[in-house]
Amino acid sequence: MIIEESNIWETINNAKKTKPSAEWLKNVYNPNINFELRKEIAIRLGQLSKVGWLKIKDLIKTYGNKDELILAAGLTYQDDAKEWLLKHLYNDDVINIKVVEALACWGGTLPIELIKKILEEKSEKMKIAGLELLKFKAHLLSDFELLNITKSLLTDFREEIVIKTLTILQRRESLDICIAIRDIIKNGSDKSAYFGLMALGSIRGEISRNILKDLVKDLKNTQHKELAQKQLNFAI
């Protein structure tokens, strides 16, 4: 029996009253319906963990590796799902961005060499997805290792990559990390400098405070100088 899309949406939106079962979600999924609805169904299945993964596997077997089903596999947090994703990481020798994005929650358990390889890809989306993996792996790395991996990312011409990298570095407070952030403030774009100053302010360590003091003296850009002073006031 084919259920109208509007009826599927109504059932999903009323989930607080009647929670759709994994079997119902599997049965209403169809690759020919609206993508947003397919994605919502897949997400709901992913949120059902083990039982959801069983239904997702059935759907993959029937319809193939659809993007929304790959996403749902990652949401299940099942070890079997992780192994399936890793098995399908490459598509004709090309890394599948959807699989990388789905693996985000397992970043801490993935080999660092794999994360490095993903970060070496040219695509902005792939680098951002790789940084999401690194975010969960970073606590296992030394400052030296982390800076070595992110060195080229900090000088990337795409601001979003630089900014995403800064959000990872700002969890550290060593001199080397603070200097790397300072260099972005001095040499990066206005937007990157803004996020760099925010990052230094969030560290709130003695080293970061001293660097902020120097920046207040040295920065030529009035807005950057004012923000450096503001972050210094917050950090004290």
Side-chain angles (χ1 to χ4, degrees):
M1 181 180 69
I2 298 176
I3 302 177
E4 293 291 334
E5 290 187 20
S6 58
N7 292 333
I8 299 174
W9 275 119
E10 183 178 358
T11 300
I12 289 175
N13 291 331
N14 290 328
K16 289 184 178 180
K17 295 180 180 179
T18 307
K19 191 174 182 179
S21 68
E23 184 67 20
W24 183 87
L25 289 165
K26 183 189 114 173
N27 289 337
V28 297
Y29 176 89
N30 187 312
N32 296 319
I33 61 178
N34 176 276
F35 174 73
E36 289 304 319
L37 180 53
R38 297 200 318 265
K39 183 178 178 182
E40 186 63 29
I41 292 169
I43 288 172
R44 297 298 177 113
L45 277 171
Q47 292 171 341
L48 294 176
S49 303
K50 185 175 182 179
V51 66
W53 172 232
L54 293 175
K55 303 303 179 185
I56 292 165
K57 284 196 292 185
D58 289 342
L59 290 173
I60 290 172
K61 186 176 180 180
T62 302
Y63 299 113
N65 302 351
K66 301 294 184 183
D67 288 350
E68 63 273 14
L69 298 178
I70 292 173
L71 166 68
L75 295 175
T76 65
Y77 295 102
Q78 299 299 300
D79 289 340
D80 186 31
K82 174 190 171 185
E83 293 308 313
W84 181 88
L85 287 167
L86 288 172
K87 184 179 178 181
H88 293 85
L89 179 60
Y90 289 90
N91 185 9
D92 294 329
D93 295 326
V94 177
I95 297 178
N96 187 329
I97 179 64
K98 296 301 179 183
V99 172
V100 175
E101 290 173 343
L103 283 167
C105 66
W106 287 291
T109 66
L110 297 180
I112 190 60
E113 292 306 319
L114 174 58
I115 297 176
K116 285 181 181 179
K117 186 173 180 60
I118 292 168
L119 289 171
E120 288 169 359
E121 293 287 311
K122 293 180 179 179
S123 159
E124 179 176 5
K125 280 189 175 182
M126 191 68 78
K127 287 184 183 294
I128 294 294
L131 282 166
E132 190 65 19
L133 297 176
L134 184 62
K135 180 176 75 175
F136 292 100
K137 189 74 171 182
H139 72 283
L140 298 172
L141 305 175
S142 68
D143 289 347
F144 176 80
E145 291 171 320
L146 187 57
L147 284 171
N148 186 50
I149 293 169
T150 58
K151 184 178 180 180
S152 63
L153 300 171
L154 288 171
T155 57
D156 197 285
F157 67 93
R158 291 159 292 193
E159 289 178 329
E160 294 308 312
I161 293 173
V162 176
I163 292 166
K164 181 76 173 176
T165 306
L166 286 170
T167 63
I168 296 173
L169 294 182
Q170 70 183 37
R171 300 176 181 182
R172 306 293 182 94
E173 57 181 9
S174 72
L175 177 60
D176 288 340
I177 293 287
C178 289
I179 287 175
I181 296 174
R182 180 204 64 190
D183 290 346
I184 294 301
I185 295 168
K186 286 188 170 184
N187 305 317
S189 67
D190 282 346
K191 189 174 181 180
S192 296
Y194 170 83
F195 280 93
L197 286 165
M198 297 296 286
L200 275 182
S202 71
I203 293 173
R204 300 193 177 194
E206 183 179 353
I207 295 171
S208 62
R209 285 195 296 270
N210 288 335
I211 289 180
L212 281 169
K213 288 177 184 177
D214 290 340
L215 288 170
V216 170
K217 298 176 189 174
D218 299 339
L219 288 174
K220 306 301 181 185
N221 184 298
T222 302
Q223 289 182 322
H224 294 172
K225 185 185 288 285
E226 290 176 353
L227 182 56
Q229 183 62 62
K230 186 176 181 181
Q231 291 304 304
L232 180 59
N233 293 340
F234 283 144
I236 294 175

